[in-house]
Amino acid sequence: MVGNTPVTGRRVPLTAEVDLTLGGRWTSLSGGSREWLWSRADPARRHVRPGTDFVDVGGLEECIPTVRGRPDHGDAWSRPWRHDHGGAVVDCPDFVLRRRIEHVGGAVVASYRLSANPGYRFLWAGHALLDVSDSARLLAPRGTPTLVYPEAAAILGDAWTAGATTMTGAWPEPLGLPLSQLGPTDGSAVGAILRCADVRIIDGADTLRMLLEVDNQPAGTALWRNLGGFPPREPYRSVGVEPMLGTVFDLAEAAPHEAATVPASGEVAWRLVVSADRTGS
């Protein structure tokens, strides 16, 4: 049960596909004749280099060691990955990230291991852009503290504190914003982070669950609810639901308890479990 709403149905086996040559990006998450990942074409993606601005082609990107800030969307999405003992690995200046994706009991299980110097701080987001309908909803426990970013000021008007870099409210309508409703195109775009690492996306008869498992590190779920409000020129609709290590978007702004920290062992391990269910026939 999430958000006081029971979720029942039959399991729909999921399959993931990735592109190691272009940043280790997940290009497909499909099951039951449905593709869950949204994508768009942009030829500029094939020419990116480490440190360049993010080129959004959808799918699920590995954003690490930051999401916003520099480097834009992190340092791993713009680098080629390589095969490594049944998984994949990317070498970045300050860390090495390994990932193994397996299909277990119908779920997609992605296991991660970051190696870096003890004390190294980072954020990670499974930056998943989802192909969902206008009526889709994001379910999380009612009352979950939710950090809302200043894109919301244009919607909230005087309800947004002037000069605030973030404000906090309670899910499912933090600050009065109905963020749980993923909604039709209305020209808005809002970023938020829920302090909850187990959420569900309900879209008609289908439910997608995203569960992040990690020990002794801050974790949450980012929401990028872009309903045709971004980018300023040629905007499009894209809905990001992004399991995270850390609870802010920009590593440079993270307090000690808001970013993951490498312990004395030199490694941090975590696991993302994605599963789907369908109600009815």
Side-chain angles (χ1 to χ4, degrees), residues 45-59:
R45 179 58 186 267
R46 294 193 170 273
H47 306 290
V48 299
R49 296 290 184 271
T52 60
D53 288 341
F54 185 60
V55 179
D56 184 10
V57 291

Side-chain angles (χ1 to χ4, degrees), residues 26 100-104 107-111 271-274:
W26 301 38
R100 179 186 294 270
I101 296 178
E102 300 174 291
H103 299 87
V104 181
V108 173
V109 180
S111 300
R271 194 168 83 143
L272 173 61
V273 181
V274 187

Side-chain angles (χ1 to χ4, degrees), residues 8-165:
T8 60
R10 61 179 177 84
R11 175 60 53 89
V12 176
L14 292 176
T15 301
E17 298 177 7
V18 300
D19 185 346
L20 297 188
T21 61
L22 285 176
R25 171 176 165 263
W26 301 38
T27 57
S28 176
L29 179 67
S30 62
S33 300
R34 171 170 186 153
E35 175 58 60
W36 280 98
L37 294 182
W38 171 88
S39 62
R40 64 187 288 270
D42 191 330
R45 179 58 186 267
R46 294 193 170 273
H47 306 290
V48 299
R49 296 290 184 271
T52 60
D53 288 341
F54 185 60
V55 179
D56 184 10
V57 291
L60 186 155
E61 306 278 9
E62 307 287 357
C63 294
I64 184 170
T66 192
V67 183
R68 297 185 181 182
R70 306 303 302 177
D72 186 15
H73 283 67
D75 207 26
W77 72 271
S78 59
R79 296 175 182 271
W81 293 45
R82 53 187 169 84
H83 292 283
D84 178 64
H85 299 95
V89 62
V90 61
D91 299 292
C92 295
D94 298 319
F95 63 90
V96 175
L97 178 64
R98 290 178 171 83
R99 180 188 70 195
R100 179 186 294 270
I101 296 178
E102 300 174 291
H103 299 87
V104 181
V108 173
V109 180
S111 300
Y112 296 85
R113 186 172 300 273
L114 177 138
S115 302
N117 291 331
Y120 179 71
R121 301 174 71 241
F122 68 96
L123 307 173
W124 166 84
H127 187 278
L129 294 177
L130 302 180
D131 187 3
V132 293
S133 73
D134 292 356
S135 61
R137 298 173 291 136
L138 177 61
L139 269 64
R142 183 173 294 277
T144 294
T146 303
L147 195 67
V148 181
Y149 278 76
E151 299 92 1
I155 304 171
L156 291 172
D158 292 341
W160 183 267
T161 300
T165 56

Side-chain angles (χ1 to χ4, degrees), residues 109-238:
V109 180
S111 300
Y112 296 85
R113 186 172 300 273
L114 177 138
S115 302
N117 291 331
Y120 179 71
R121 301 174 71 241
F122 68 96
L123 307 173
W124 166 84
H127 187 278
L129 294 177
L130 302 180
D131 187 3
V132 293
S133 73
D134 292 356
S135 61
R137 298 173 291 136
L138 177 61
L139 269 64
R142 183 173 294 277
T144 294
T146 303
L147 195 67
V148 181
Y149 278 76
E151 299 92 1
I155 304 171
L156 291 172
D158 292 341
W160 183 267
T161 300
T165 56
T166 59
M167 293 180 66
T168 300
W171 193 262
E173 294 190 4
L175 310 178
L177 294 170
L179 294 187
S180 64
Q181 307 299 316
L182 300 181
T185 300
D186 63 8
S188 68
V190 178
I193 298 177
L194 293 74
R195 296 193 178 229
C196 168
D198 184 2
V199 300
R200 287 178 170 89
I201 300 92
I202 312 294
D203 192 12
D206 291 317
T207 298
L208 187 73
R209 182 185 184 190
M210 307 180 82
L211 170 65
L212 177 61
E213 299 175 335
V214 65
D215 293 328
N216 304 316
Q217 301 289 349
T221 303
L223 170 65
W224 173 237
R225 199 185 72 153
N226 174 26
L227 305 181
F230 183 87
R233 299 179 64 182
E234 300 183 2
Y236 48 81
R237 180 180 184 270
S238 60

